[in-house]
Amino acid sequence: MPDFGLITDTHLISMIRPIMPQVLLTLFQQPGNAAATLRERVCSTLRSAIHSGALSAGQRLPSSRLLAADLQVSRVTTEAAYAQLETEGYPQRRVGQGTFVAIRINKPAAVRKVAGQLRLSQRGKTILQTSGCRDPQQPLPFAAGSPDLRAFPLKLWKQLTAQQLRVNGEKLLRYGDPQGYLPLREAIAGYVGQTRGVNCDAQQVIVLTSSQQALQLIATLLLDQGDRVWMEEPGYLGARNAFTSAGAKLTPVNIDEAGLRPDSSLPVPRLVYLTPAHHYPTGVALSLERRLALLEMARREQSWIIEDDYDSEFHYDGQPMPAMQSQDRHGNVLYLGTFSKTLFPSLRLAYLIVPPELVSAFSTARTLYDGHSAQLMQAVTAEFIQQGHFAAHIRYMRQLYRSRRDWLLTQVEQRLPAFATAQPANGGLQLAVWLPHGQEANLTRQAQQLGVITPGLSALFMTPQARRDGWLLGFSALTPGEISAAVERLSKIVRD
Ligand SMILES: Cc1ncc(COP(=O)(O)O)c(C=O)c1O
């Protein structure tokens, strides 16, 4: 029999073997020990044996020849494994004596662990308690707030992407400006100036991944623990949770047909969060009188106003009022817009327009979050706007969404009169529908059983006594046929 370096006389081996080969053999054969090469498998076997205490400091290891025989690998492999392990400091080879374990692994002390508790900071615990803010990943009926991506001009987007890679490729692969890609900031400043009357130049625009990132940055930079924030009641959970996570004290302020109703008996806020164009979730517009009163309060009290203009592009009846920021003479308004609704949500691009003195604080904070948004997508978006495609796309989508809103409204009024009362709005991507008191949970459960998602309205109220039952039905991503089919299913629901 040819000798390939394997020892075949097992009787002799057991006489001189310095350790229990079975331990190594078991570790070597474990299914989890499937390293890329045989040499690495031998290495990880010996490392595991040393770390687990099966081999202790000073203990003699089998010669490479014996180990090869035990593990049924070639001696070349065990030699290479020993050489590798020696560079890592596990064994020491002494000439004429053998190979010994060189490293002492201390037995770990018992872990001090409080059962069932995550090791989070207080801030981490607060964030977890808010449950965050999740957006629907599928445009199923009636998930709220999704644009219709079937109508997105993908071919054009692909062409612009290829063009940007061709023209600016190498430049777009580098690190970018934390404030945002300049051509995009210029395009945004031009767009919001023309369409929303926003007073700004590109120096005040900060490009972010989302409105949510903007809200989190605002909470971090402008709010201290215990600072007072006025929130619309009902209001946007993403904003509520961002401010809560910063330790702010939230004051719910009621909404009526003219939007948020300021009240001088309420504690003076450090910050007011508003959705003035279309209140989230009811779609009511904030009246001019209230806007001016809030701007005056902000001037007097040195409060910040956050104007979340998340869907003002989709205004269907008449002209929307200009942004509040356009009436701010004292630099108290931070204006927030997003491409999640106008282009597509996974683009992860939004913009925050801040008074000049805040620019550097926001840019610096951004460097500690994620640095900047993806350069390539910023460049493509800038081109899309500059070449006029953005305005055309919005005009087209506005028509489409208006007809869908009208269709859903008619369907709800005609087919769900037994339990649903729609609150028509001049704009937006979703329709608020009020339900009989105490019925939301039951009706939502039934809708779910019929395969229809009906996001609840009651959770958007902070005060339990103010809570009203209802649904927020997203219509923008659904064709009239899909809307009818889903409403048809809801019409099968029975009230208690
Ligand atoms: C009130 C409000 N603001 C902002 C957004 C947009 O969010 P983002 O830019 O984080 O995708 C939404 C999305 O549903 C919203 O409802």
Side-chain angles (χ1 to χ4, degrees):
M1 188 173 157
D3 183 355
F4 291 112
L6 299 181
I7 287 194
T8 47
D9 185 347
T10 50
H11 176 71
L12 180 66
I13 294 166
S14 61
M15 299 278 291
I16 57 167
R17 202 169 269 154
I19 61 153
M20 286 170 57
Q22 195 52 44
V23 175
L24 293 180
L25 197 57
T26 310
L27 283 169
F28 185 71
Q29 287 170 342
Q30 266 174 6
N33 187 16
T37 62
L38 268 182
R39 181 187 64 122
E40 189 42 45
R41 264 178 83 181
V42 175
C43 285
S44 72
T45 298
L46 286 159
R47 283 191 209 104
S48 304
I50 293 171
H51 279 285
S52 68
L55 295 175
S56 50
Q59 192 167 345
R60 184 163 172 216
L61 294 172
S63 69
S64 58
R65 181 183 286 265
L66 285 177
L67 188 64
D70 285 338
L71 303 183
Q72 304 220 334
V73 297
S74 79
R75 192 171 165 207
V76 174
T77 302
T78 53
E79 264 298 333
Y82 273 158
Q84 166 68 28
L85 289 170
E86 201 173 16
T87 64
E88 295 172 17
Y90 283 94
Q92 191 188 29
R93 302 180 106 175
R94 295 182 206 145
V95 182
Q97 292 179 43
T99 305
F100 299 84
V101 177
I103 187 166
R104 185 175 302 282
I105 305 286
N106 292 326
K107 219 171 157 224
V111 177
R112 265 181 268 128
K113 200 170 185 177
V114 185
Q117 275 205 7
L118 277 179
R119 283 173 291 150
L120 293 179
S121 63
Q122 280 309 322
R123 198 186 313 105
K125 285 178 190 154
T126 311
I127 289 172
L128 206 64
Q129 273 163 10
T130 68
S131 328
C133 176
R134 287 168 205 272
D135 296 302
Q137 291 175 20
Q138 302 284 341
L140 297 170
F142 286 102
S146 312
D148 192 342
L149 301 176
R150 291 172 289 192
F152 187 75
L154 256 186
K155 201 169 149 201
L156 175 60
W157 192 264
K158 240 165 34 188
Q159 283 165 0
L160 290 177
T161 307
Q163 184 204 50
Q164 280 304 310
L165 280 171
R166 204 170 47 244
V167 179
N168 291 316
E170 184 266 329
K171 198 171 108 195
L172 295 174
L173 304 184
R174 299 180 199 151
Y175 281 117
D177 182 345
Q179 197 183 333
Y181 186 64
L182 184 58
L184 179 59
R185 287 195 277 123
E186 286 167 347
I188 291 170
Y191 164 69
V192 292
Q194 269 169 24
T195 60
R196 307 291 296 128
V198 172
N199 279 315
C200 73
D201 58 34
Q203 272 318 313
Q204 289 167 261
V205 179
I206 296 158
V207 178
L208 299 166
T209 51
S210 59
S211 310
Q212 197 55 47
Q213 187 180 48
L215 292 167
Q216 204 61 44
L217 273 170
I218 288 168
T220 307
L221 288 173
L222 305 184
L223 293 176
D224 281 319
Q225 184 82 18
D227 275 351
R228 184 67 59 176
V229 172
W230 281 8
M231 284 295 300
E232 295 163 328
E233 171 82 326
Y236 183 47
L237 268 181
R240 193 210 290 181
N241 291 344
F243 303 139
T244 302
S245 73
K249 283 209 170 79
L250 306 192
T251 301
V253 185
N254 288 335
I255 295 288
D256 61 19
E257 65 294 341
L260 179 131
R261 201 173 59 215
D263 181 343
S264 56
S265 69
L266 296 173
V268 172
R270 176 115 184 81
L271 186 147
V272 183
Y273 170 79
L274 295 170
T275 47
H278 308 130
H279 165 246
Y280 182 93
T282 65
V284 168
L286 186 63
S287 72
L288 179 60
E289 197 189 335
R290 301 250 175 106
R291 289 173 185 231
L292 296 175
L294 285 158
L295 286 167
E296 170 50 21
M297 181 193 70
R299 183 199 64 78
R300 197 179 56 241
E301 306 292 350
Q302 290 292 283
S303 316
W304 298 111
I305 289 180
I306 309 305
E307 177 174 23
D308 185 351
D309 209 27
Y310 66 109
D311 68 355
S312 63
E313 286 85 358
F314 302 115
H315 190 86
Y316 311 128
D317 310 306
Q319 284 299 310
M321 255 191 266
M324 267 180 94
Q325 196 268 9
S326 68
Q327 291 146 341
D328 174 29
R329 303 273 166 274
H330 305 281
N332 295 314
V333 175
L334 281 76
Y335 176 91
L336 180 49
T338 179
F339 290 112
S340 288
K341 317 290 173 192
T342 48
L343 290 177
F344 53 96
S346 80
L347 180 60
R348 298 287 77 198
L349 285 180
Y351 41 95
L352 179 63
I353 295 170
V354 300
E357 70 270 19
L358 286 183
V359 171
S360 134
F362 275 90
S363 298
T364 306
R366 181 79 195 280
T367 65
L368 294 184
Y369 275 63
D370 53 351
H372 59 85
S373 303
Q375 293 266 84
L376 174 60
M377 285 299 104
Q378 292 191 72
V380 174
T381 307
E383 269 313 287
F384 194 78
I385 299 173
Q386 299 291 25
Q387 292 184 14
H389 305 302
F390 187 58
H393 181 57
I394 286 174
R395 267 198 306 278
Y396 176 73
M397 298 309 281
R398 189 185 297 130
Q399 298 270 15
L400 196 70
Y401 294 160
R402 177 196 288 129
S403 65
R404 291 174 179 186
R405 177 208 54 176
D406 293 346
W407 185 244
L408 175 61
L409 195 54
T410 322
Q411 292 288 300
V412 169
E413 285 172 352
Q414 287 180 357
R415 298 166 82 173
L416 309 178
F419 61 86
T421 313
Q423 173 157 355
N426 286 336
L429 306 180
Q430 53 251 330
L431 177 71
V433 166
W434 298 108
L435 300 170
H437 181 68
Q439 292 280 306
E440 187 185 294
N442 163 41
L443 297 176
T444 302
R445 207 173 316 111
Q446 290 193 55
Q448 215 164 23
Q449 280 159 4
L450 297 162
V452 184
I453 299 163
T454 50
L457 282 175
S458 65
L460 305 182
F461 289 84
M462 288 175 61
T463 339
Q465 311 84 279
R467 232 166 234 185
R468 285 183 69 191
D469 286 7
W471 290 334
L472 188 60
L473 304 181
F475 54 78
S476 43
L478 307 174
T479 62
E482 289 163 340
I483 292 174
S484 307
V487 174
E488 168 65 24
R489 275 186 265 166
L490 291 183
S491 71
K492 302 201 166 50
I493 283 179
V494 278
R495 278 180 63 182
D496 271 354

